[in-house]
Amino acid sequence: MSKQLTAPDIQALKGRRKIVAVTAYDYPTGCIADAAEPDVVLVGDSLGMVVMGLPDTLSVTMEDMLHHCRCAARGVSHALLVGDLPFLSYQAGVEQAVLNAGRFLKEGDARAVKLEGGRAVLPQVRAIVAAGIPVMGHIGLTPQHIAGFGGFKAQGKTAEAARILLEDARALADAGCFALTLEAVPREVARLVTEAVAIPTIGIGAGPDTDGQVLVFHDLLGLFDRFVPKFVKQYAQLFGPAVEAVRTYAEEVRQGTFPGPEHTTPMDSKELERLTD
């Protein structure tokens, strides 16, 4: 397999071909995702919901993220591994942002970070980039802001709101972001943003006109049973078969049919005689 992709490699894909991104949260999901050869594997703070069972991403900590990032990194050798800065790990100021972004590279084995927000986080973006750490921006529906949004709601639906997104996108690109996630915005707005910036846009619930797409691993494989976002296409539905497999295992244990002879280690008959004499 070719060398592992870098942030400049991803940035250079704009206008050449569509970019493929997918999330992963541990060694098995990292291995599965990377084997499909996407361009980006994101260790997203969405792990709070699909791995930890939380109602949102707000309770996810840096320690949670670093643990999962390290695990996923062991399975990723092709894609660019991006770590998601969690809520309140960068908002308090530039120094906090740089230190935590650096921890993703030093302790999480990531090669870039992602953070949410527009012009309000420009000082953090500039400082992280100046420290030599590639940054992916994230605007539109930013899950760390759901308390202010009043829930998981699409953004940029009015002309005024769309103009704000356009201004934020341009500012993030100018600040040094190598790519930009657009979440849950109208297709028309995503197209305008994509045309307005020189960096790749990676959409999730933003239509087909972005430079690439990202989906949550558990969503696209049908492993998350709580709800299915409108913008998700399930390419498999593995939750049901997994439940059936565990149920069959449980029934075989109760019936005494598992483990069978093929699953056990026999003792040499002579050794058994010596033991029981």
PDB file of all heavy atoms in Angstrom, residues 85-101:
ATOM      1  N   LEU A  85     -11.099  17.670  18.281  1.00  0.00           N
ATOM      2  CA  LEU A  85     -10.971  18.366  19.567  1.00  0.00           C
ATOM      3  C   LEU A  85     -12.342  18.454  20.228  1.00  0.00           C
ATOM      4  O   LEU A  85     -13.274  19.030  19.661  1.00  0.00           O
ATOM      5  CB  LEU A  85     -10.398  19.764  19.347  1.00  0.00           C
ATOM      6  CG  LEU A  85      -8.889  19.825  19.101  1.00  0.00           C
ATOM      7  CD1 LEU A  85      -8.503  21.143  18.443  1.00  0.00           C
ATOM      8  CD2 LEU A  85      -8.121  19.632  20.402  1.00  0.00           C
ATOM      9  N   PRO A  86     -12.496  17.917  21.453  1.00  0.00           N
ATOM     10  CA  PRO A  86     -13.820  17.878  22.083  1.00  0.00           C
ATOM     11  C   PRO A  86     -14.208  19.221  22.708  1.00  0.00           C
ATOM     12  O   PRO A  86     -13.395  20.148  22.804  1.00  0.00           O
ATOM     13  CB  PRO A  86     -13.663  16.797  23.146  1.00  0.00           C
ATOM     14  CG  PRO A  86     -12.216  16.856  23.524  1.00  0.00           C
ATOM     15  CD  PRO A  86     -11.486  17.201  22.251  1.00  0.00           C
ATOM     16  N   PHE A  87     -15.439  19.271  23.142  1.00  0.00           N
ATOM     17  CA  PHE A  87     -16.007  20.475  23.748  1.00  0.00           C
ATOM     18  C   PHE A  87     -15.156  20.960  24.925  1.00  0.00           C
ATOM     19  O   PHE A  87     -14.752  20.188  25.782  1.00  0.00           O
ATOM     20  CB  PHE A  87     -17.430  20.164  24.215  1.00  0.00           C
ATOM     21  CG  PHE A  87     -18.169  21.332  24.796  1.00  0.00           C
ATOM     22  CD1 PHE A  87     -18.335  22.501  24.087  1.00  0.00           C
ATOM     23  CD2 PHE A  87     -18.718  21.234  26.064  1.00  0.00           C
ATOM     24  CE1 PHE A  87     -19.031  23.573  24.622  1.00  0.00           C
ATOM     25  CE2 PHE A  87     -19.424  22.299  26.618  1.00  0.00           C
ATOM     26  CZ  PHE A  87     -19.571  23.475  25.893  1.00  0.00           C
ATOM     27  N   LEU A  88     -14.877  22.256  24.923  1.00  0.00           N
ATOM     28  CA  LEU A  88     -14.100  22.962  25.948  1.00  0.00           C
ATOM     29  C   LEU A  88     -12.637  22.524  26.010  1.00  0.00           C
ATOM     30  O   LEU A  88     -11.973  22.716  27.029  1.00  0.00           O
ATOM     31  CB  LEU A  88     -14.748  22.843  27.332  1.00  0.00           C
ATOM     32  CG  LEU A  88     -16.056  23.618  27.521  1.00  0.00           C
ATOM     33  CD1 LEU A  88     -16.521  23.527  28.966  1.00  0.00           C
ATOM     34  CD2 LEU A  88     -15.906  25.083  27.098  1.00  0.00           C
ATOM     35  N   SER A  89     -12.124  21.976  24.915  1.00  0.00           N
ATOM     36  CA  SER A  89     -10.697  21.655  24.857  1.00  0.00           C
ATOM     37  C   SER A  89      -9.922  22.717  24.089  1.00  0.00           C
ATOM     38  O   SER A  89      -8.684  22.659  24.040  1.00  0.00           O
ATOM     39  CB  SER A  89     -10.478  20.290  24.206  1.00  0.00           C
ATOM     40  OG  SER A  89     -10.818  20.320  22.833  1.00  0.00           O
ATOM     41  N   TYR A  90     -10.625  23.683  23.494  1.00  0.00           N
ATOM     42  CA  TYR A  90      -9.959  24.738  22.717  1.00  0.00           C
ATOM     43  C   TYR A  90     -10.648  26.086  22.818  1.00  0.00           C
ATOM     44  O   TYR A  90     -10.064  27.126  22.506  1.00  0.00           O
ATOM     45  CB  TYR A  90      -9.871  24.335  21.237  1.00  0.00           C
ATOM     46  CG  TYR A  90     -11.215  24.065  20.587  1.00  0.00           C
ATOM     47  CD1 TYR A  90     -11.902  25.052  19.889  1.00  0.00           C
ATOM     48  CD2 TYR A  90     -11.801  22.815  20.666  1.00  0.00           C
ATOM     49  CE1 TYR A  90     -13.130  24.798  19.293  1.00  0.00           C
ATOM     50  CE2 TYR A  90     -13.017  22.546  20.084  1.00  0.00           C
ATOM     51  CZ  TYR A  90     -13.685  23.536  19.384  1.00  0.00           C
ATOM     52  OH  TYR A  90     -14.897  23.277  18.806  1.00  0.00           O
ATOM     53  N   GLN A  91     -11.882  26.134  23.296  1.00  0.00           N
ATOM     54  CA  GLN A  91     -12.639  27.386  23.316  1.00  0.00           C
ATOM     55  C   GLN A  91     -12.108  28.402  24.320  1.00  0.00           C
ATOM     56  O   GLN A  91     -12.329  29.606  24.155  1.00  0.00           O
ATOM     57  CB  GLN A  91     -14.126  27.108  23.603  1.00  0.00           C
ATOM     58  CG  GLN A  91     -14.859  26.406  22.470  1.00  0.00           C
ATOM     59  CD  GLN A  91     -14.868  24.889  22.618  1.00  0.00           C
ATOM     60  OE1 GLN A  91     -14.008  24.321  23.288  1.00  0.00           O
ATOM     61  NE2 GLN A  91     -15.839  24.235  22.003  1.00  0.00           N
ATOM     62  N   ALA A  92     -11.418  27.947  25.368  1.00  0.00           N
ATOM     63  CA  ALA A  92     -11.003  28.859  26.440  1.00  0.00           C
ATOM     64  C   ALA A  92      -9.834  29.755  26.048  1.00  0.00           C
ATOM     65  O   ALA A  92      -9.572  30.743  26.727  1.00  0.00           O
ATOM     66  CB  ALA A  92     -10.637  28.068  27.700  1.00  0.00           C
ATOM     67  N   GLY A  93      -9.141  29.439  24.979  1.00  0.00           N
ATOM     68  CA  GLY A  93      -8.047  30.301  24.576  1.00  0.00           C
ATOM     69  C   GLY A  93      -7.027  29.609  23.705  1.00  0.00           C
ATOM     70  O   GLY A  93      -7.061  28.389  23.503  1.00  0.00           O
ATOM     71  N   VAL A  94      -6.115  30.421  23.190  1.00  0.00           N
ATOM     72  CA  VAL A  94      -5.118  29.943  22.232  1.00  0.00           C
ATOM     73  C   VAL A  94      -4.182  28.915  22.861  1.00  0.00           C
ATOM     74  O   VAL A  94      -3.895  27.873  22.261  1.00  0.00           O
ATOM     75  CB  VAL A  94      -4.330  31.145  21.681  1.00  0.00           C
ATOM     76  CG1 VAL A  94      -3.084  30.675  20.949  1.00  0.00           C
ATOM     77  CG2 VAL A  94      -5.208  31.962  20.739  1.00  0.00           C
ATOM     78  N   GLU A  95      -3.679  29.192  24.064  1.00  0.00           N
ATOM     79  CA  GLU A  95      -2.732  28.269  24.679  1.00  0.00           C
ATOM     80  C   GLU A  95      -3.362  26.901  24.905  1.00  0.00           C
ATOM     81  O   GLU A  95      -2.755  25.859  24.606  1.00  0.00           O
ATOM     82  CB  GLU A  95      -2.228  28.832  26.009  1.00  0.00           C
ATOM     83  CG  GLU A  95      -1.193  27.941  26.680  1.00  0.00           C
ATOM     84  CD  GLU A  95      -0.648  28.522  27.971  1.00  0.00           C
ATOM     85  OE1 GLU A  95      -1.081  29.630  28.350  1.00  0.00           O
ATOM     86  OE2 GLU A  95       0.201  27.870  28.597  1.00  0.00           O
ATOM     87  N   GLN A  96      -4.577  26.894  25.425  1.00  0.00           N
ATOM     88  CA  GLN A  96      -5.285  25.630  25.644  1.00  0.00           C
ATOM     89  C   GLN A  96      -5.457  24.878  24.322  1.00  0.00           C
ATOM     90  O   GLN A  96      -5.248  23.663  24.248  1.00  0.00           O
ATOM     91  CB  GLN A  96      -6.664  25.905  26.264  1.00  0.00           C
ATOM     92  CG  GLN A  96      -7.484  24.645  26.508  1.00  0.00           C
ATOM     93  CD  GLN A  96      -8.980  24.905  26.537  1.00  0.00           C
ATOM     94  OE1 GLN A  96      -9.499  25.685  25.738  1.00  0.00           O
ATOM     95  NE2 GLN A  96      -9.679  24.265  27.461  1.00  0.00           N
ATOM     96  N   ALA A  97      -5.827  25.595  23.278  1.00  0.00           N
ATOM     97  CA  ALA A  97      -6.069  24.972  21.979  1.00  0.00           C
ATOM     98  C   ALA A  97      -4.803  24.333  21.420  1.00  0.00           C
ATOM     99  O   ALA A  97      -4.831  23.197  20.930  1.00  0.00           O
ATOM    100  CB  ALA A  97      -6.614  26.014  21.003  1.00  0.00           C
ATOM    101  N   VAL A  98      -3.690  25.045  21.485  1.00  0.00           N
ATOM    102  CA  VAL A  98      -2.434  24.517  20.940  1.00  0.00           C
ATOM    103  C   VAL A  98      -1.967  23.300  21.727  1.00  0.00           C
ATOM    104  O   VAL A  98      -1.547  22.285  21.154  1.00  0.00           O
ATOM    105  CB  VAL A  98      -1.347  25.608  20.930  1.00  0.00           C
ATOM    106  CG1 VAL A  98       0.002  25.020  20.522  1.00  0.00           C
ATOM    107  CG2 VAL A  98      -1.732  26.734  19.974  1.00  0.00           C
ATOM    108  N   LEU A  99      -2.043  23.386  23.052  1.00  0.00           N
ATOM    109  CA  LEU A  99      -1.594  22.264  23.876  1.00  0.00           C
ATOM    110  C   LEU A  99      -2.430  21.013  23.618  1.00  0.00           C
ATOM    111  O   LEU A  99      -1.885  19.906  23.479  1.00  0.00           O
ATOM    112  CB  LEU A  99      -1.648  22.646  25.354  1.00  0.00           C
ATOM    113  CG  LEU A  99      -0.602  23.660  25.820  1.00  0.00           C
ATOM    114  CD1 LEU A  99      -0.865  24.070  27.265  1.00  0.00           C
ATOM    115  CD2 LEU A  99       0.807  23.098  25.672  1.00  0.00           C
ATOM    116  N   ASN A 100      -3.737  21.171  23.537  1.00  0.00           N
ATOM    117  CA  ASN A 100      -4.585  20.000  23.313  1.00  0.00           C
ATOM    118  C   ASN A 100      -4.462  19.468  21.894  1.00  0.00           C
ATOM    119  O   ASN A 100      -4.483  18.250  21.675  1.00  0.00           O
ATOM    120  CB  ASN A 100      -6.034  20.327  23.650  1.00  0.00           C
ATOM    121  CG  ASN A 100      -6.295  20.318  25.148  1.00  0.00           C
ATOM    122  OD1 ASN A 100      -5.697  19.526  25.881  1.00  0.00           O
ATOM    123  ND2 ASN A 100      -7.158  21.191  25.629  1.00  0.00           N
ATOM    124  N   ALA A 101      -4.325  20.359  20.930  1.00  0.00           N
ATOM    125  CA  ALA A 101      -4.096  19.894  19.557  1.00  0.00           C
ATOM    126  C   ALA A 101      -2.782  19.118  19.488  1.00  0.00           C
ATOM    127  O   ALA A 101      -2.698  18.056  18.840  1.00  0.00           O
ATOM    128  CB  ALA A 101      -4.071  21.080  18.603  1.00  0.00           C
TER     129      ALA A 101
END
